[in-house]
Amino acid sequence: MAAEGAHRPGPLKQQNKAHKGGKHSGSSQRRAGGRVPVKAQPRRRLRDLSRVDRRHQALQLRRQRKEAVLAEKRSLGSRDGPPHLVVVVLLHSRAAARDSLRLLQSQDSALVRADEGGAGGFALLCPRLKQRWRFVPAPAGDLHAVLDLAKVADSLLFILDPVEGWDSAGEHCLSCLFAQGLPSYALAVPGSTDLPPKKRIDARKRLSRFTEKRFPEAKLFPLNTEQESSLLLRHLSSQKQRHLAFRDRRAHLLARAAEFVPSQDSDLVGTLKVSGFVRGQILNVNSLVHIVGHGDFQLSQVDAPPDPLSLNPRVVKRQKRSQDMEVQDDSENGADEMEEDVKVLMKADPSKQESLQSEVVPDPMEGEQTWPTEEELQEAEDALKAERRVVKVPKGTSKYQAAWIVDDEEGIEKDDDDYDDEDDDMDDDLMEEAVSQEGESSEEEAGEEESETMTVSECLRDEQYDEKMEEDEQMLEKYKQERMDEMFPDEVDTPRDVPARVRFQKYRGLKSFRTSPWDPKENLPRDYARIFQFQDFSRTRRNLFRQIEKEETEGALVGWYVTLHVCNVPVSVMEGFKEGKPLVLFSLLPHEQKMSVLNFLVRRHPGNSEPVRAKEELIFHCGFRRFRASPLFSQHTSADKHKLERFLRPDAALVVTVYAPITFPPASVLLFKQRSNGMHDLIATGSLLSVDPDRIVIKRLVLSGHPFKIFTKTAVVRYMFFNREDVMWFKPVELRTKWGRRGHIKEPLGTHGHMKCHFDGQLKSQDTVLLNLYKRVFPKWTYDPHVPEPVPWVRSESAVPEREVEME
């Protein structure tokens, strides 16, 4: 019946010609000789599938994805996988953390085992549920510890206040965690029973509305009884896990135990034995490891001690590549016997081990093509003899010492290159000079005041107040410079004491900033000889990630409890672990220890409005690394040239360029600025854009002049230059005006910098004539892997509001 009722085309149905691919497809088929490409066969087979087969195929793919998610969820915290790592984060100073941890430890049929070190963490083993957790409380007020633990945590447990939720420090901590990448989380509210019964419901509703801004779909879990703690544990173990890309492609480990063995040469450096569960990916002994906050190191061997958090303590099973091992524990001292029976899984192979070399050692003679002949050497020696002069020196002075004695005239002279460099950065360093002068004057005043008779308390109070006022003055000066850059972007005054052709000799004019060519290998600085560059960075990244997905590497599997022998580690790492700081290790992918030029795409954080100038020292949190550097800011465009920005703009995304170790994206980045009191303010967040030394950052200078006499299409312009030679030097560069006219210099008039210019239309008397000059800039080599520990964060109230800044 279905076939009889089907629609059939009638005799009046329009018959169109079959579509022909055109001459291009026909010619390509003739050239191919009738052969079908290999890549076209699977697509053809997919098109030939029937509707039922396509439906079955989609169902199978959906089932596979669902099974993969379930397998991942079941392996986490089970016997074969690593324990479920839960980091407890306090978001309010009044939040009850100890009571919450005590409730979590009071589970029935659960074993509690304390961690080593001073962090106060513990492990919770529940054989009945076949689950094991490890709870690590993050130190309150320690931003580095919170971020380091969040890098490796499976879940974050936020402890909220029942009335206010979180305070300003908690808001700052949440901003940093969201920017770095937030894993799975849960919100716990202990202490709600302490409120009066009539206010509990209102407080809970108000807290729910408050948390919806940050956590739209989160559920608040009260944490006052053992039953509520059981519900919280069930939620943590069953919720969907969020993935952080930078850690899923690298093996990482949070230390549970550590031991330091000093070397024979020095007690300050030795081998650090770190024990913990492997997470993320397979850990290879020949790859480098990065200890967060301390640097890159090599491994000597990997051991397999017994699992201290086994769900079945009597039979501990350890899967190995070749065989399965079973250790029977029938006595009370079985743990000591198992500690002695430590198996060596693998040792490092020197031929396959990654090197710690991070920079290229440049050869200064690499570019030399010829060697001077004997005649040229003789001529150089004769020239040196001719330049010798008689200088009066003290008795007993050697020839070497006499060569360094400089006459008064030579002391006045200056090297041209140094002069050019200083002049080139004059506009960038005006503020720094003003700050240094203020600092010197304040030191002199302090020296004069030392002779006065004052009490110590009054003196200290006055000095602190003066320092605060100096900081306000410096901030006000920065606000003025930022406002000037917004009103008159890139404009500079032509110097009158130095010829413009000398002051701007490193700059050039461009017909079009977008289309004019610029060679990326032209006039590179010496620092570019120290960095590494990929022939094709994207292809290298794809190949590495493809190897990781195929699991072609050998090493310790995910979930194994191992001991890593890390070589040449300073003793300060062990001291920090004993004080309670987390010890986090990440394995490095190939080439990630080498230096290159990194570009980050960042956007200004809305909670900070202070002006940030280019080349100021900032603190970077890039993926699993921390370092300090002085970056360049540039516009984010699709062109091959990118204009330098002098300040970090609040209304646009900018690219930050620094020298730093190679990191394969994706990776998040956080930019902090250190206050004078040691606090770290979050100023920008973003992600790693590329590793590309050939990205061209162009600095633009704009020279301005004013029309003196205006004719139909010509005008006499003054105040752009102040001598005739400068006008002739910059004659080929195109002119433009603020009102959109374009023109060029025809000829100079007189000797004081007046010039006749021709434009494509008549100028207005209030118009301004502009001349654009461009120069490529490079970041400074200011990379410093040492980042000082931040002081507990407090909201700053001394920031100068923008509306109070008045322009002179």
Side-chain angles (χ1 to χ4, degrees):
M1 296 295 293
E4 294 178 2
H7 175 72
R8 295 176 180 273
L12 301 179
K13 169 72 175 175
Q14 180 179 350
Q15 299 292 334
N16 296 328
K17 288 184 178 180
H19 175 70
K20 297 179 180 178
K23 61 179 182 179
H24 300 290
S25 62
S27 60
S28 62
Q29 288 179 1
R30 286 194 297 271
R31 285 195 301 268
R35 298 180 181 178
V36 180
V38 179
K39 292 184 179 180
Q41 290 180 357
R43 297 179 185 174
R44 197 170 192 178
R45 195 178 301 121
L46 285 175
R47 285 199 303 267
D48 292 343
L49 292 176
S50 64
R51 183 178 180 183
V52 178
D53 293 339
R54 290 197 303 269
R55 186 177 296 173
H56 283 320
Q57 189 180 35
L59 182 63
Q60 289 174 356
L61 292 175
R62 190 160 57 248
R63 283 178 179 172
Q64 289 176 4
R65 287 194 293 266
K66 187 176 180 180
E67 289 175 358
V69 171
L70 289 175
E72 179 188 5
K73 188 183 298 184
R74 290 165 183 159
S75 64
L76 184 62
S78 64
R79 183 186 64 181
D80 299 328
H84 193 131
L85 180 58
V86 182
V87 175
V88 183
V89 182
L90 296 181
L91 295 182
H92 201 284
S93 57
R94 294 199 303 264
R98 294 184 178 179
D99 297 341
S100 305
L101 296 177
R102 195 178 300 113
L103 277 174
L104 292 172
Q105 293 179 12
S106 62
Q107 296 294 317
D108 296 336
S109 68
L111 304 176
V112 179
R113 300 197 179 167
D115 288 349
E116 296 185 14
F122 63 92
L124 196 64
L125 308 179
C126 189
R128 182 172 60 86
L129 300 177
K130 296 181 180 180
Q131 285 286 325
R132 50 181 181 172
W133 294 273
R134 184 185 174 192
F135 291 87
V136 180
D142 191 349
L143 181 63
H144 284 180
V146 173
L147 293 179
D148 292 347
L149 288 172
K151 290 179 175 70
V152 295
D154 296 316
S155 299
L156 294 181
L157 179 59
F158 293 115
I159 307 296
L160 276 64
D161 182 70
V163 179
E164 298 181 3
W166 53 77
D167 52 10
S168 60
E171 177 72 22
H172 181 249
C173 179
L174 285 177
S175 300
C176 299
L177 289 174
F178 272 88
Q180 178 180 267
L182 195 67
S184 303
Y185 60 87
L187 303 179
V189 187
S192 58
T193 55
D194 298 338
L195 298 175
K198 294 183 179 180
K199 295 184 178 180
R200 292 178 188 173
I201 299 177
D202 294 339
R204 183 175 179 83
K205 290 181 179 178
R206 190 166 55 251
L207 185 60
S208 298
R209 288 194 300 268
F210 181 69
T211 55
E212 280 181 358
K213 300 176 183 178
R214 281 284 189 182
F215 308 98
E217 300 177 357
K219 180 184 177 183
L220 295 176
F221 287 89
L223 195 57
N224 301 304
T225 61
E226 294 184 7
Q227 184 179 3
E228 292 173 346
S229 65
S230 301
L231 291 175
L232 179 60
L233 283 177
R234 185 177 300 173
H235 172 73
L236 289 173
S237 59
S238 61
Q239 69 178 348
K240 184 180 179 181
Q241 293 298 312
R242 292 188 174 189
H243 294 277
L244 301 182
F246 75 90
R247 76 177 184 186
D248 287 343
R249 292 190 172 97
R250 299 170 179 85
H252 52 275
L253 178 144
L254 176 63
R256 188 181 182 274
E259 179 186 357
F260 183 78
V261 180
S263 62
Q264 299 178 356
D265 300 334
S266 173
D267 294 338
L268 302 177
V269 179
T271 301
L272 184 65
K273 298 180 181 179
V274 184
S275 300
F277 291 90
V278 180
R279 301 172 184 271
Q281 293 292 333
I282 299 174
L283 179 62
N284 189 1
V285 70
N286 294 319
S287 62
L288 301 179
V289 294
H290 176 81
I291 301 179
V292 177
H294 297 282
D296 304 334
F297 302 94
Q298 288 181 329
L299 297 177
S300 59
Q301 71 179 44
V302 178
D303 299 339
D307 189 349
L309 304 180
S310 174
L311 290 172
N312 187 3
R314 293 188 175 275
V315 180
V316 181
K317 294 186 179 181
R318 169 78 60 182
Q319 292 182 356
K320 208 175 179 182
R321 291 194 304 270
S322 57
Q323 59 182 359
D324 294 341
M325 298 180 294
E326 288 193 6
V327 181
Q328 298 291 336
D329 182 16
D330 296 329
S331 63
E332 295 180 358
N333 299 328
D336 299 335
E337 295 176 3
M338 286 191 293
E339 287 180 2
E340 297 175 359
D341 189 18
V342 175
K343 304 296 182 182
V344 178
L345 284 181
M346 59 201 81
K347 289 189 176 183
D349 186 359
S351 60
K352 298 180 181 179
Q353 198 171 24
E354 289 281 344
S355 172
L356 284 172
Q357 181 185 3
S358 61
E359 300 177 18
V360 180
V361 181
D363 185 7
M365 301 299 294
E366 186 178 2
E368 292 292 332
Q369 300 295 326
T370 59
W371 188 258
T373 61
E374 294 182 1
E375 296 177 357
E376 292 174 343
L377 291 174
Q378 187 65 32
E379 290 178 2
E381 189 174 349
D382 295 342
L384 286 175
K385 289 179 181 178
E387 291 178 359
R388 286 178 183 172
R389 63 193 185 285
V390 179
V391 181
K392 292 182 180 180
V393 296
K395 189 176 180 179
T397 305
S398 65
K399 292 182 179 180
Y400 179 77
Q401 293 171 335
W404 284 93
I405 296 178
V406 183
D407 294 342
D408 294 338
E409 296 179 357
E410 291 185 357
I412 298 174
E413 294 178 359
K414 198 174 187 181
D415 189 9
D416 292 338
D417 295 337
D418 297 339
Y419 183 77
D420 295 339
D421 292 339
E422 291 182 5
D423 278 352
D424 186 40
D425 296 334
M426 187 184 300
D427 53 337
D428 291 338
D429 299 336
L430 286 176
M431 182 193 66
E432 298 178 3
E433 292 176 4
V435 172
S436 63
Q437 289 173 4
E438 289 177 4
E440 291 173 3
S441 62
S442 63
E443 289 177 3
E444 293 175 2
E445 293 173 2
E448 294 174 0
E449 292 174 358
E450 283 180 0
S451 59
E452 298 180 4
T453 307
M454 295 180 67
T455 60
V456 177
S457 59
E458 291 178 358
C459 189
L460 284 175
R461 195 186 313 118
D462 291 343
E463 286 181 0
Q464 292 176 356
Y465 189 80
D466 291 342
E467 288 178 1
K468 189 175 181 181
M469 292 301 296
E470 289 174 6
E471 291 179 5
D472 291 344
E473 289 293 332
Q474 295 173 13
M475 189 60 63
L476 182 62
E477 186 66 27
K478 278 189 179 181
Y479 273 113
K480 286 184 178 180
Q481 291 184 2
E482 186 181 29
R483 183 68 61 83
M484 284 289 292
D485 191 55
E486 289 179 2
M487 295 172 61
F488 308 101
D490 303 323
E491 286 194 33
V492 296
D493 295 330
T494 306
R496 307 198 58 172
D497 55 343
V498 181
R501 62 186 182 278
V502 177
R503 167 67 179 87
F504 306 120
Q505 61 183 347
K506 294 186 178 180
Y507 291 81
R508 69 181 72 174
L510 294 178
K511 177 69 175 176
S512 170
F513 182 80
R514 185 178 61 87
T515 60
S516 297
W518 198 301
D519 186 9
K521 303 297 184 183
E522 175 187 358
N523 293 334
L524 298 179
R526 289 185 177 271
D527 290 336
Y528 265 53
R530 303 165 58 184
I531 64 174
F532 291 84
Q533 183 176 6
F534 293 94
Q535 187 175 6
D536 189 344
F537 178 75
S538 301
R539 183 177 61 188
T540 305
R541 174 176 171 271
R542 285 196 302 269
N543 293 339
L544 281 175
F545 289 172
R546 194 177 297 117
Q547 292 177 5
I548 293 173
E549 292 175 359
K550 293 180 180 179
E551 297 183 356
E552 296 178 356
T553 58
E554 296 181 355
L557 300 180
V558 177
W560 287 9
Y561 185 78
V562 297
T563 299
L564 308 181
H565 293 246
V566 190
C567 304
N568 300 324
V569 179
V571 69
S572 59
V573 181
M574 188 63 192
E575 293 174 354
F577 180 72
K578 289 181 179 179
E579 293 174 359
K581 296 179 181 178
L583 184 57
V584 179
L585 284 79
F586 274 85
S587 68
L588 298 183
L589 300 177
H591 314 296
E592 283 197 327
Q593 78 279 13
K594 300 173 182 176
M595 297 290 291
S596 187
V597 178
L598 269 63
N599 302 303
F600 305 101
L601 180 61
V602 302
R603 187 176 288 274
R604 189 70 182 264
H605 188 258
N608 187 282
S609 60
E610 296 182 4
V612 180
R613 192 179 176 89
K615 299 181 183 178
E616 281 189 24
E617 185 180 69
L618 300 178
I619 297 173
F620 289 75
H621 288 238
C622 174
F624 51 87
R625 290 188 185 274
R626 284 198 298 265
F627 58 88
R628 291 185 292 174
S630 301
L632 293 179
F633 303 143
S634 59
Q635 294 179 352
H636 179 50
T637 60
S638 58
D640 60 341
K641 296 181 289 295
H642 312 273
K643 192 179 84 68
L644 176 76
E645 291 289 343
R646 287 175 168 80
F647 288 90
L648 190 61
R649 301 294 181 192
D651 54 348
L654 296 181
V655 176
V656 177
T657 303
V658 291
Y659 291 111
I662 294 170
T663 302
F664 289 99
S668 59
V669 62
L670 287 76
L671 269 64
F672 291 88
K673 186 177 179 182
Q674 185 171 357
R675 295 189 207 165
S676 57
N677 57 4
M679 296 183 190
H680 292 181
D681 285 334
L682 180 65
I683 62 170
T685 60
S687 59
L688 177 60
L689 179 65
S690 63
V691 181
D692 185 14
D694 288 341
R695 189 177 187 273
I696 302 175
V697 179
I698 302 296
K699 179 181 179 181
R700 184 182 72 173
L701 285 186
V702 180
L703 303 181
S704 59
H706 301 278
F708 177 48
K709 294 180 181 180
I710 301 175
F711 303 97
T712 306
K713 287 192 176 182
T714 60
V716 178
V717 180
R718 61 179 177 178
Y719 301 148
M720 183 177 288
F721 303 109
F722 298 99
N723 57 73
R724 186 183 184 92
E725 291 77 11
D726 288 345
V727 177
M728 296 300 296
W729 179 269
F730 290 101
K731 188 177 179 181
V733 184
E734 186 181 19
L735 301 176
R736 67 179 180 90
T737 69
K738 289 190 175 181
W739 287 39
R741 299 297 181 190
R742 292 185 175 273
H744 60 274
I745 302 173
K746 290 185 68 175
E747 59 180 353
L749 299 176
T751 60
H752 294 284
H754 291 205
M755 55 187 182
K756 182 188 288 186
C757 304
H758 182 81
F759 295 93
D760 57 359
Q762 188 171 10
L763 296 187
K764 302 290 184 180
S765 59
Q766 64 269 30
D767 206 349
T768 305
V769 182
L770 305 176
L771 183 141
N772 294 340
L773 298 175
Y774 303 94
K775 182 191 73 168
R776 184 179 179 184
V777 291
F778 302 90
K780 294 182 179 179
W781 193 288
T782 54
Y783 172 78
D784 185 5
H786 173 68
V787 177
E789 292 293 329
V791 178
W793 191 84
V794 178
R795 185 182 298 277
S796 175
E797 302 294 344
S798 62
V800 181
E802 293 186 9
R803 62 177 180 271
E804 296 182 4
V805 181
E806 296 181 358
M807 302 305 301
E808 296 179 358

